[in-house]
């Protein structure tokens, strides 16, 4: 007996820029394949964008185009609202209004969810609607689905990822082609990778938004962007990139969420990673996420983390999930943050001083007897164990022969202990410039 045909799911798109236009194109191009997977069609019935002329160019007469997003939300025929405007402003109001109107929501907006996720997920639960956000972390890589569903047997120990394509692109192009920071950033903007405000990319905020979402899903904690440590790549110098390479490390902007006995580390910063690790060789705008689970061990997810169709791939996957679940009871769905809302963990985000990691230090010092002994003595006082010490040839660095760069690699230690050691070392008259401190992760 043939199954009755279900009516198509009707989608309202808010914002048809880089990701919105990709979503429209992919849905249209692969509509038959998608219908066979979802069990029903998925069609864009309405599009709202401030630039209606451009929007009409993209969708033709396939969907009604309006400039006021609220018209989409008010349309009773729309089942799912896809928010692809971005930011915390109007996007937040529209998402909450769509939920209040009983619409399911798909969004790629990590900024919004990392900051206001608790409020948004609570509103969605109260209304019995889905808020899906696969595209919000690592673009086209299905990392949310992997963590929420594929790895559900595991106690997750840590997640570490290159989750900002723009900064990875900048670091790769600067290293390989010797291009200037500003030139590469402009190219990332042209290619549609960068955020509307690119300081979010280069100052590590975008990666920290994504790390915040990953921490919530990995450990069953609320989204707490305000407690994340955020550092970008703008202070990174070519000297440290070069020294790191000479020592067998590559510097990557990593988002890290790690479970410790006393809490959760949540941090984003440039990180030395051993060159032999796969993740150290992820280049350009590509993203990669490593997940360590107690049963599965280490798994790695790799792919395009930004761009029109790669991100659309994740948005459409969320639409297919919703199409399959449209008539299912809310209890049958995977919880927004992977854990049942009444079973969230009380583990707190640790202050930065409590984070445990290893370090790369670069010190410009006077090239004379006893300097190294003094420095290693200070590290020993803080119980910091040294992994390696390298001294550059004096004239290689300054050309003067009376000062030199010392590179010290440490084993794991508390960040608080390192801060104390750094303050004591910086106060020495033989330390001639601000000490550079970078974190290092073995990711073994
Ligand atoms: P774009 O700036 O390319 O697109 C946003 C669109 O929304 C623009 O066309 C803009 O119109 C429109 N818009 C702005 N305000 C309104 C409004 N009030 N009502 C209706 N439309 C409006 O952004 P992206 O497509 O790059 O990003 C969208 C979201 O996806 C963001 O949250 C971003 O962080 C996220 N994301 C982006 C990725 C990427 O690779 N680009 C990857 C993963 C996630 P106008 O231009 O006229 O202002
Ligand atoms: N600006 C982001 C990036 C887009 O460069 O990775 C994808 O979230």
């Amino acid at each position: 007996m043939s199954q009755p045909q279900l009516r198509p799911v009707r989608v309202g798109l808010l914002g048809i820029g880089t990701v919105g236009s990709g979503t429209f194109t992919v849905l249209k191009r692969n509509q038959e394949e998608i219908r066979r997977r979802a069990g029903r069609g998925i069609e864009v019935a309405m599009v709202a964008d401030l630039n209606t002329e451009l929007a009409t160019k993209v969708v033709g007469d396939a969907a009604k185009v309006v400039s006021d997003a609220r018209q989409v939300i008010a349309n009773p025929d729309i089942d799912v609202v896809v928010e692809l405007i971005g930011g915390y402003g109007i996007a937040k109001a529209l998402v909450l209004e769509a939920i209040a109107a009983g619409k399911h929501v798909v969004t790629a907006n990590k900024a919004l969810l990392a900051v206001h996720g608790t409020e948004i997920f609570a509103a969605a639960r109260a209304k019995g609607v889905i808020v899906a956000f696969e595209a919000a972390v690592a673009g086209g890589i299905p990392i949310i689905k992997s963590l929420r569903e594929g790895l559900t047997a595991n106690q997750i120990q840590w997640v570490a990822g290159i989750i900002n394509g723009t900064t990875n692109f900048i670091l790769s192009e600067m290293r390989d082609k010797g291009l200037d920071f500003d030139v590469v950033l402009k190219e990332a903007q042209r290619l549609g990778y960068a955020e509307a405000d690119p300081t979010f990319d280069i100052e590590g905020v975008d990666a920290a938004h994504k790390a915040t979402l990953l921490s919530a899903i990995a450990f069953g904690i609320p989204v707490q962007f305000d407690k994340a440590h955020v550092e970008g790549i703008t202070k990174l110098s070519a000297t440290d990139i070069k020294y790191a390479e000479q020592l067998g490390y590559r510097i990557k902007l990593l988002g890290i969420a790690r479970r410790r006995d006393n809490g959760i580390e949540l941090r984003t910063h440039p990180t030395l990673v051993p060159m032999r690790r796969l993740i150290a060789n992820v280049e350009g705008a590509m993203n990669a996420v490593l997940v360590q689970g107690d049963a599965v061990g280490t798994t790695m997810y790799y792919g395009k983390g930004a761009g029109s169709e790669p991100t659309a791939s994740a948005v459409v996957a969320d639409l297919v999930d919703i199409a399959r679940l449209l008539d299912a009871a809310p209890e049958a769905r995977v919880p927004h943050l992977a854990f049942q809302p009444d079973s969230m963990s009380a583990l707190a985000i640790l202050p930065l001083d409590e984070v445990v990691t290893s370090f790369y230090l670069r010190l410009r010092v006077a090239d004379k007897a006893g300097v190294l002994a003094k420095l290693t003595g200070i590290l020993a006082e803080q119980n910091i164990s040294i992994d390696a010490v390298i001294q550059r040839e004096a004239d290689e660095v300054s050309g003067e022969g009376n000062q030199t760069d010392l590179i010290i690699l440490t084993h794991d230690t508390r960040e608080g202990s390192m801060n104390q050691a750094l303050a004591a070392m910086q106060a020495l008259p033989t330390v001639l410039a601000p000490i550079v401190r970078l974190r290092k992760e073995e990711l073994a």
Side-chain angles (χ1 to χ4, degrees):
M1 211 170 70
S2 68
Q3 293 285 321
Q5 281 283 315
L6 295 169
R7 69 162 177 79
V9 174
R10 285 177 294 247
V11 173
L13 270 189
L14 312 185
I16 190 154
T18 303
V19 183
S21 57
T23 300
F24 182 83
T25 306
V26 171
L27 266 176
K28 192 169 160 206
R29 188 174 67 232
N30 296 340
Q31 57 181 308
E32 183 47 26
E33 196 92 347
I34 289 166
R35 190 194 59 72
R36 285 169 53 217
R37 290 195 168 112
R40 63 205 300 174
I42 300 177
E43 60 185 38
V44 177
M46 252 182 125
V47 173
D49 198 285
L50 297 181
N51 190 339
T52 50
E53 204 179 316
L54 209 62
T56 308
K57 267 204 192 124
V58 178
V59 304
D61 54 12
K64 183 172 179 196
V65 174
V66 295
S67 61
D68 178 5
R70 292 195 163 93
Q71 278 187 42
V72 176
I73 294 170
N75 183 343
D77 291 337
I78 297 293
D79 304 299
V80 188
V81 167
V82 179
E83 183 277 305
L84 298 172
I85 293 171
Y88 320 103
I90 184 71
K92 181 186 177 198
L94 294 172
V95 163
L96 287 171
E97 285 170 33
I99 291 169
K103 315 284 189 200
H104 300 290
V105 172
V106 175
T107 180
N109 192 337
K110 53 269 165 158
L112 177 64
L113 294 180
V115 176
H116 299 291
T118 301
E119 181 184 352
I120 288 168
F121 295 131
R125 266 196 313 280
K127 248 344 218 182
V129 297
I130 299 169
V131 173
F133 53 100
E134 183 64 69
V137 183
I141 305 174
I143 185 63
I144 305 278
K145 206 171 193 58
S146 301
L147 272 171
R148 268 195 338 194
E149 298 176 46
L151 297 177
T152 203
N154 289 263
Q155 185 180 79
I156 304 295
Q157 289 150 341
W158 52 262
V159 182
I162 296 171
I163 43 182
N164 181 267
T166 301
T167 44
N168 205 48
F169 182 68
I170 291 173
L171 290 175
S172 303
E173 295 282 292
M174 283 174 71
R175 197 196 62 227
D176 294 346
K177 301 187 183 155
L179 295 173
D180 284 340
F181 187 98
D182 293 343
V183 173
V184 193
L185 174 58
K186 281 212 175 73
E187 179 64 359
Q189 288 176 292
R190 191 187 67 76
L191 292 167
Y193 304 151
E195 293 303 300
D197 176 356
T199 58
F200 271 36
D201 295 292
I202 60 180
E203 296 297 356
V205 177
D206 177 73
H209 285 148
K210 294 165 181 165
T212 299
L213 291 172
L214 290 176
S215 71
I217 292 168
F219 307 122
I221 56 173
V223 284
Q224 298 165 78
F225 176 69
D226 56 333
K227 305 220 174 77
H229 173 72
V230 187
E231 238 179 274
I233 62 166
T234 49
K235 295 195 184 81
L236 206 54
S237 89
T239 307
D240 296 304
I241 295 175
K242 188 185 75 190
Y243 283 162
E245 294 265 330
Q246 289 171 2
L247 293 164
Y249 291 88
R250 197 151 276 167
I251 300 181
K252 295 288 181 189
L253 184 72
L254 290 190
I256 299 170
R258 187 188 290 269
R259 183 199 299 266
R260 299 278 182 198
D261 291 342
N262 54 342
I264 304 289
E265 295 178 359
L266 177 56
R267 48 195 170 102
T268 296
H269 49 69
T271 313
L272 275 79
V273 181
M275 236 183 255
R276 62 185 181 280
R277 300 266 177 266
L278 276 178
I279 196 167
N281 296 285
V282 170
E283 303 293 4
M286 302 305 277
N287 280 196
V289 184
L290 284 168
V291 182
Q292 174 81 16
D294 67 339
V296 72
T298 312
T299 54
M300 177 163 156
Y301 309 81
Y302 170 81
K304 288 190 177 153
S308 182
E309 290 204 9
T311 311
S313 165
V315 172
V316 173
D318 278 345
L319 285 170
V320 171
D321 271 356
I322 291 175
R324 286 170 174 155
L325 289 168
L326 209 56
D327 304 315
E331 310 78 68
R333 299 175 192 147
V334 180
H336 293 119
L337 294 178
F339 291 73
Q340 297 299 335
D342 58 359
S343 303
M344 299 297 271
S345 162
L347 274 178
I349 305 288
L350 292 168
L352 191 60
D353 269 3
E354 295 299 321
V355 159
V356 175
T357 186
S358 56
F359 290 89
Y360 158 106
L361 307 177
R362 173 164 62 86
L363 302 96
R364 170 58 61 92
V365 293
D367 191 17
K368 59 185 188 191
V371 172
L372 182 58
K374 194 96 185 139
L375 294 168
T376 54
I378 290 172
L379 290 170
E381 271 167 35
Q382 292 298 329
N383 210 16
I384 299 171
S385 161
I386 295 172
D387 183 20
V389 180
I390 293 118
Q391 180 175 335
R392 315 305 307 172
E393 291 290 331
D395 53 356
E396 187 188 322
V397 177
S398 68
E400 291 174 17
N402 58 357
Q403 42 181 271
T404 187
D405 274 351
L406 266 183
I407 313 295
I408 301 178
L409 302 182
T410 76
H411 289 295
D412 275 356
T413 184
R414 271 182 66 253
E415 178 109 12
S417 307
M418 179 51 79
N419 285 338
Q420 295 206 5
L422 282 173
M425 292 194 288
Q426 193 69 72
L428 295 174
T430 46
V431 173
L432 307 173
I435 300 169
V436 174
R437 167 253 303 268
L438 293 168
R439 298 172 189 87
K440 175 166 87 61
E441 292 287 336
E442 293 301 319
L443 301 177

